[in-house]
Structures are given as structure tokens and as C-alpha cells.
Amino acid sequence: MSLHNRIDKRVLKEIIANDPTQRKTLSFYKYFKIDDTQAYRDRLYRDWEALGCMGRIYLANEGINAQMSVPLDNWNEWVEYLSTDSNLTNVPLKIAVEDDSKSFYKLKIKVRSKILADGLDDSTFNPWNTGRHLSAKEMNEAIAQGAIVIDMRNHYESEVGHFEGAIKPDADTFRQELKMVEEMLEGKEDEKVVMYCTGGIRCEKASAYFKHKGFKDVNQLRGGIIEYAHQVQESNLENKYIGKNFVFDERLGERISDEVIAQCHQCGEPCDNHTNCANVECHLLFIQCDACKAKYEECCSDECNDIIHLPEEAQRERRKGKQLHGDARNVFKKGRFNGRADGSISKVPSVDQMST
Ligand SMILES: [Zn+2]
Ligand SMILES: [Zn+2]
């Protein structure tokens, strides 16, 4: 039995599009010691593949970071499976706020040196000494009290949604984000700092790092925006998150509030729907309204639109020898945004998508 899925991506997407299976999308992470990551990986792949699970899961000696979907019919069995692994018993699951059952189209489990690309040397500080975890209610209180609220995500994430009054660094990666935040917060070591991200993992690292840097009152949103949205709904709290929560799967976002705070990168109309350019060679992540979607046939530019109309053979010829994206993605960079008139878009290469 193969422990990898080698079927073409487009074929798999087609299969999922027509698959009536109801799935639950979720994410979780846990820092714990894994000695034999390859054996752990192969076991998970075998057992979760058998349950029809899909997703993108990273394993390292330091733990697991998973974004995945589980068929509803196998949900109980999968949760039970977690409980048979002492490291994963009662691990907090962040369940998707909006779900179309098509968040992932295959199961991918990768062994990495770290489960989060943070660029930090963990031996230089205590990664376990994290900040105080805030509930949704405490988050609202902290915002009301005027705490410094920091969005620990990348620019293309905070562009479509963020907390009221949050600082949103224009970072391409989490590594860059940490550096920028450190510069921004210089001299504010005594103030109350609250950080948040999608599901909480980035703040685990960032909060420990900033405590190490001398910050005295470091707080983080427990379970990230996903858990916040659930608590707001369940406890009927005021929602202080505006717009969408960007997610790292096929859905590319979950709506948290009705406000649309971003614009189409091609025509400038209000829009907060991310898309990936239909030209696989480009695959740029950008915001595109329905009108532009129709006009450019889901491409980011006329150039890409021309390419998708080339015969398949010619397209393949163009891609030959080129390094396609893998785990990195091309991301539209709003700071370099110009030339809307012809709908062309400038690109920045290779942003790591290993987050949440
Ligand atoms: Zn548009
Ligand atoms: Zn393109």
C-alpha cells in the first residue's frame, strides 16, 4: 500500500467537487516530543487515509500542526483514534466556522524540522513560557481597555479581516512578522500586549518569544480567530472581529462578520474573496470580484489568460524545468499594487503557507 497520494491535483479536485460526502473541517496543533517522526507519520497516514481524512499535516520532533477534514460518518471513530494516542487525547480541535466539505482534496502528511516556520532558535529562549491565554470575553475586555492588539498573521490574511484597532504588520511570512513586531513594540515592554492569529499556534511561539524579550504583560487569543468566532456565537458576545478569517485550505476564508473590508485587486470594487490564478504556472493568490473572475476567466492578468488558452501540450512545455510552487505560494503584494486599468498585477514570489 502506498503511503502517498500521487494522483494529479486537477483530477483529485474534480473528484472532490462531485463527491457528496459530508466532511468536517478542523485544525489543531500540539507541541510534544516525537522521536521517530517517519514512523509516526506513516502510522497516521495509514490510519487516517483509511478513515477518508484529507488535509495538510506537518510533523516534527517538536509536535504536530494539522489542518484537515474528516468525513462526518467517521467523525466519532477519528476522535476516538485521537484519544488512543496519549499525546493527542483532548487536544483542542478548532472546527471550521463555514464549511462546504471541500476544504481539502487529498491527505498530505509531511515531516519537517519544525511544525511552524518561525525562524527562531528555540534553544535561546523558553518556548513553553507562553503568554496568558484569553477567552473571547477577555479578548473583548482587553480591546476595550486599550491594550496593544497585534495581528500575528501575514498581510494577505489581515487584508480581508482583523480585530478592531489591531496593528497589522505588512509581513509576507511569520518570520518577517516577528521581526517587524519586535521593532514596532520597542520601548513598550510594560504595556499590555494581546496577540492573535488564525488558530493560535503562531501566538504560542510569539508570546514566549516576547516574554523572553522582556515584555511583562503578554496575552494571546486562545484558539485564535476560529475559536473566538465560536465563543462569540455560543455566548452571544459582541463580535469585535471585522470581515473574513483567511484559512489555509481550498476555502481560503471563513466569513466572521458581514463587513467587506478589502478590494478586488483588478478593478478596486469592494471584495474579499481570495482566489488562485487559474494559470497553474502562476497560481498567484489575490482578491478577485465576480465580474473580474468572469472577465479574466479566474486569471490574474491577460498574460495568464492567454496561457490557459494554449493547448495543454504547449502549457506543459512552458512549465518544463520550472520549479512550481510546492508549499510556497505566489502572493499579491498590495504595497506594489498598480496598473489596475489593464488588470495586471505585480507578484512577489514564494511565501511559505505553513501557518495557521
Ligand atoms: Zn474586480
Ligand atoms: Zn496569473
Side-chain angles (χ1 to χ4, degrees):
M1 180 192 152
S2 166
L3 291 179
H4 295 274
N5 193 324
R6 301 263 184 236
I7 305 170
D8 185 79
K9 181 171 152 181
R10 272 173 296 181
V11 175
L12 292 170
K13 281 193 175 178
E14 186 76 27
I15 293 170
I16 272 289
N18 298 308
D19 182 357
T21 308
Q22 293 290 305
R23 296 168 188 281
K24 215 175 206 174
T25 301
L26 72 133
S27 62
F28 69 88
Y29 65 85
K30 177 89 184 273
Y31 282 99
F32 64 96
K33 194 155 173 22
I34 304 176
D35 288 320
D36 190 343
T37 45
Q38 194 58 44
Y40 198 94
R41 183 249 167 231
D42 289 348
R43 180 171 62 80
L44 283 190
Y45 191 93
R46 196 186 55 233
D47 297 341
W48 289 2
E49 164 95 316
L51 289 174
C53 299
M54 295 184 179
R56 188 190 308 111
I57 295 143
Y58 296 115
L59 290 177
N61 293 119
E62 64 176 8
I64 183 169
N65 182 7
Q67 294 149 69
M68 59 190 294
S69 72
V70 179
L72 273 191
D73 288 346
N74 296 338
W75 177 257
N76 291 340
E77 209 176 318
W78 181 75
V79 171
E80 222 158 87
Y81 183 91
L82 291 184
S83 67
T84 61
D85 184 330
S86 63
N87 293 305
L88 299 179
T89 309
N90 296 326
V91 64
L93 304 177
K94 285 116 210 173
I95 313 288
V97 178
E98 272 187 324
D99 204 347
D100 60 1
S101 298
K102 307 194 187 303
S103 48
F104 293 97
Y105 52 86
K106 71 169 175 179
L107 180 62
K108 205 158 126 184
I109 307 184
K110 285 195 157 188
V111 173
R112 288 264 179 110
S113 58
K114 285 190 143 194
I115 57 171
L116 179 68
D118 52 24
L120 297 173
D121 178 356
D122 289 10
S123 66
T124 59
F125 69 107
N126 177 6
W128 299 101
N129 183 25
T130 60
R132 206 166 77 83
H133 291 78
L134 303 185
S135 67
K137 187 166 169 277
E138 290 168 325
M139 180 75 182
N140 283 354
E141 285 162 6
I143 293 172
Q145 286 159 10
I148 301 174
V149 180
I150 307 166
D151 194 318
M152 290 308 300
R153 303 170 304 156
N154 303 326
H155 68 84
Y156 55 91
E157 300 172 84
S158 55
E159 186 177 3
V160 294
H162 55 81
F163 275 99
E164 282 172 14
I167 296 170
K168 312 180 293 288
D170 189 19
D172 288 340
T173 64
F174 183 51
R175 277 187 207 98
Q176 220 179 65
E177 170 91 21
L178 281 169
K179 268 201 206 96
M180 290 171 94
V181 172
E182 196 174 339
E183 281 163 21
M184 282 169 159
L185 292 184
E186 218 190 302
K188 299 191 167 146
E189 288 78 3
D190 294 327
E191 293 188 39
K192 187 185 181 102
V193 172
V194 180
M195 40 187 77
Y196 68 90
C197 61
T198 317
I201 185 170
R202 284 179 267 191
C203 293
E204 293 289 349
K205 271 298 167 74
S207 68
Y209 180 70
F210 283 105
K211 279 177 84 170
H212 163 73
K213 285 281 163 187
F215 287 84
K216 299 188 178 65
D217 192 359
V218 181
N219 304 267
Q220 66 200 92
L221 181 58
R222 180 184 287 124
I225 300 156
I226 303 175
E227 179 57 27
Y228 176 86
H230 282 295
Q231 286 183 22
V232 161
Q233 212 170 30
E234 276 158 26
S235 309
N236 209 9
L237 303 172
E238 187 192 348
N239 175 28
K240 289 185 182 282
Y241 187 90
I242 319 159
K244 261 187 174 176
N245 180 25
F246 184 91
V247 291
F248 292 85
D249 61 56
E250 293 297 310
R251 296 168 300 145
L252 296 176
E254 302 181 321
R255 182 156 298 291
I256 308 292
S257 88
D258 292 333
E259 289 108 318
V260 174
I261 62 164
Q263 290 88 35
C264 171
H265 288 154
Q266 285 170 314
C267 72
E269 283 296 306
C271 175
D272 59 7
N273 294 324
H274 273 103
T275 195
N276 282 116
C277 177
N279 172 18
V280 287
E281 194 186 316
C282 167
H283 204 62
L284 180 79
L285 178 74
F286 70 111
I287 298 174
Q288 188 175 47
C289 73
D290 287 341
C292 290
K293 194 166 259 193
K295 184 174 167 198
Y296 294 95
E297 298 175 285
E298 299 187 33
C299 288
C300 74
S301 60
D302 286 328
E303 190 200 344
C304 284
N305 192 239
D306 289 343
I307 292 169
I308 65 166
H309 287 290
L310 294 172
E312 183 55 39
E313 186 55 35
Q315 287 191 49
R316 223 173 292 138
E317 198 57 39
R318 283 181 58 93
R319 294 198 292 269
K320 242 187 206 160
K322 274 189 191 160
Q323 170 90 41
L324 287 191
H325 326 289
D327 281 334
R329 57 167 87 194
N330 269 339
V331 172
F332 172 73
K333 184 82 176 142
K334 59 185 171 201
R336 294 176 217 165
F337 180 20
N338 51 26
R340 264 178 197 156
D342 68 348
S344 70
I345 279 175
S346 56
K347 301 159 193 182
V348 287
S350 296
V351 169
D352 202 312
Q353 67 174 48
M354 184 180 161
S355 302
T356 205

